[in-house]
Amino acid sequence: MKKIYFLLFAVLFIVSATFAQGSSDAWLRCYNVDSTLVGFKDKNGKLMIQTKYIPSMTIADEFDKIISAVEEDDDQWKAYYITKQGRIVGRDSLYFFDNTSDCENEGFIRFKARDTEKIGIFNSNGDITVPAEYNGLTKVRNGLLVGLKGATKVYDKDSQGNTIEEHYGWENGKEILIDTLNNLLVENFPYNDKLNYYSLEIADKPSADSIRDSFKGVNGKFYSFINYEREAEQVIREYLQKGLTPERVEELCFQEVTYWEKDAGWLPLPKKEFVKRFYKQLEDNLHQLNIKPKTYFISLDGLNPFIFDTPLYAKYFDNCGFSNEWRYPTVNLVLDNSDESARPQTHMHFLRTDDGFKLIMVSF
């Protein structure tokens, strides 16, 4: 049986990213005099939304098209969605994940129906385009969503066998691929966060490209997507096959590369300076992929907002300050060193940018 876990943590974790990516006319988060309430102003400083919302529950740093908001009135919380036109929809229907309300993506935001606890989608006008009929629903990515239907909620148990209300998962059900108008595209579409939904190709046959995964649609066509992990591995191996030089390693690097210094923590260096200082270590580690092909593994993640918190990384975060990992993930290449090594593993993080994968962080 398949179980998909949605964990709700007791401690509220709010990420603040002043430089979150938004459109040019997005309204910016602002505070009242004592910073206890938030509202939004335009980029000229004009107040567009009153400062009356609870900061920890109204998480948008930029108001692009639609946001989730919570205010306190007569000792009661009022939760709803607000559009840019001032329309209020979805009262008491906020969708939460890990105790954090949803953030708009591509002009759409998720909501949860109060009576059924099922999930749907509002568009930027506050209209329902995907009805609340799903047990689980991803963010909109390239106009696509993965939905879970017909599943059974199963709660975790503690060591004494008591139900943990905050921890639950889904058993059985069917995962499907739909668009933002709730049109079924692919049945039996197993959710996979390794897929690049922005790389969609539709063809009469499955893709022959080894880094793509293909799925047969209800229309008989095949929908294929690049697999981020396999793409990253292919890029790295191509560099190795053509031979490593300081110049070629510099091509593989982001504008700056962050490395771990024992006494100082994470430090960024311009890529030219980084390669000049660490080329030999980079070369030795990357060659392990050819010498010992089984001594590494790859995992997918997103940018850490507490490390990458300057304007250089703005586009890699959403309007709420969370890593935009569905479009710009990081791939962590972990290399196992010898048993005698003081640091048995080297971690090399590659960020998927618009120019391909770039080395962005290293821990030797």
Side-chain angles (χ1 to χ4, degrees):
M1 289 187 296
K2 181 181 292 183
K3 181 179 286 189
I4 305 169
Y5 283 98
F6 295 89
L7 301 182
L8 297 176
F9 296 100
V11 179
L12 180 64
F13 180 71
I14 297 296
V15 178
S16 175
T18 304
F19 305 103
Q21 178 75 1
S23 66
S24 59
D25 61 347
W27 298 340
L28 306 177
R29 184 183 183 95
C30 62
Y31 292 82
N32 62 352
V33 176
D34 59 2
S35 298
T36 57
L37 298 172
V38 299
F40 292 87
K41 61 183 179 180
D42 66 17
K43 294 195 174 180
N44 294 319
K46 181 181 178 181
L47 187 65
M48 308 300 290
I49 299 288
Q50 292 182 52
T51 52
K52 65 176 184 177
Y53 295 101
I54 301 171
S56 61
M57 305 300 289
T58 308
I59 64 171
D61 290 316
E62 296 195 1
F63 190 157
D64 196 358
K65 294 182 173 65
I66 185 170
I67 64 168
S68 56
V70 179
E71 64 170 306
E72 187 173 2
D73 186 23
D74 293 332
D75 296 326
Q76 291 187 339
W77 281 8
K78 294 183 178 180
Y80 46 80
Y81 299 89
I82 315 173
T83 71
K84 206 71 172 289
Q85 296 73 36
R87 184 183 178 191
I88 293 177
V89 297
R91 293 183 183 275
D92 298 324
S93 298
L94 295 194
Y95 171 84
F96 284 86
F97 182 75
D98 286 355
N99 282 344
T100 303
S101 57
D102 203 26
C103 191
E104 173 214 333
N105 200 51
E106 298 182 18
F108 297 88
I109 197 165
R110 291 171 289 187
F111 72 94
K112 178 179 283 190
R114 287 174 291 173
D115 52 349
T116 64
E117 293 192 339
K118 291 185 177 179
I119 306 167
I121 293 287
F122 283 123
N123 66 10
S124 59
N125 297 320
D127 300 321
I128 296 174
T129 61
V130 174
E133 57 186 29
Y134 296 90
N135 303 117
L137 200 61
T138 65
K139 286 180 177 289
V140 174
R141 295 167 294 188
N142 193 26
L144 304 172
L145 308 94
V146 181
L148 174 67
K149 277 184 137 181
T152 302
K153 183 185 287 187
V154 178
Y155 292 93
D156 285 352
K157 307 279 188 182
D158 61 20
S159 57
Q160 285 75 42
N162 300 313
T163 297
I164 306 175
E165 294 290 339
E166 297 83 6
H167 292 191
Y168 64 88
W170 298 104
E171 287 188 349
N172 303 318
K174 178 184 287 188
E175 291 166 298
I176 59 177
L177 183 70
I178 61 173
D179 63 19
T180 55
L181 295 177
N182 202 35
N183 294 311
L184 176 62
L185 303 178
V186 179
E187 286 188 299
N188 301 315
F189 187 90
Y191 174 71
N192 186 346
D193 60 6
K194 300 175 183 178
L195 299 182
N196 178 355
Y197 290 87
Y198 299 89
S199 68
L200 170 64
E201 290 183 357
I202 304 174
D204 293 328
K205 297 179 180 179
S207 175
D209 192 334
S210 62
I211 67 171
R212 283 186 168 270
D213 292 331
S214 298
F215 307 87
K216 189 173 183 179
V218 296
N219 60 0
K221 302 286 187 177
F222 286 86
Y223 293 69
S224 74
F225 306 88
I226 288 175
N227 182 296
Y228 282 125
E229 289 187 357
R230 293 204 296 271
E231 179 190 26
E233 185 173 8
Q234 182 184 78
V235 168
I236 297 167
R237 289 198 176 280
E238 285 177 352
Y239 268 85
L240 289 172
Q241 289 169 3
K242 294 177 182 178
L244 290 177
T245 64
E247 293 74 21
R248 284 185 52 74
V249 171
E250 188 175 323
E251 289 177 7
L252 188 60
C253 291
F254 191 67
Q255 296 176 49
E256 65 181 23
V257 182
T258 299
Y259 71 101
W260 178 258
E261 186 74 47
K262 181 179 178 181
D263 296 324
W266 293 107
L267 298 174
L269 276 178
K271 64 179 180 179
K272 186 177 291 292
E273 185 177 343
F274 175 82
V275 173
K276 182 178 180 180
R277 180 172 175 180
F278 293 108
Y279 174 72
K280 178 59 177 173
Q281 288 171 275
L282 287 168
E283 183 185 40
D284 291 345
N285 277 278
L286 286 172
H287 273 312
Q288 285 192 44
L289 294 175
N290 287 335
I291 301 171
K292 299 178 180 180
K294 293 184 179 180
T295 59
Y296 76 94
F297 66 87
I298 287 176
S299 63
L300 211 62
D301 205 346
L303 279 186
N304 186 325
F306 299 108
I307 297 175
F308 303 100
D309 59 353
T310 69
L312 179 61
Y313 305 98
K315 70 181 296 179
Y316 304 110
F317 294 90
D318 67 14
N319 286 356
C320 297
F322 296 108
S323 174
N324 187 345
E325 56 198 55
W326 52 92
R327 186 161 196 167
Y328 301 113
T330 57
V331 168
N332 182 14
L333 175 66
V334 182
L335 298 163
D336 287 329
N337 300 318
S338 65
D339 295 336
E340 294 78 19
S341 174
R343 291 186 62 84
Q345 290 184 337
T346 292
H347 290 251
M348 305 178 72
H349 298 258
F350 296 83
L351 174 67
R352 179 59 161 86
T353 71
D354 292 332
D355 298 319
F357 279 99
K358 298 296 180 180
L359 180 66
I360 197 168
M361 186 165 69
V362 176
S363 173
F364 291 110

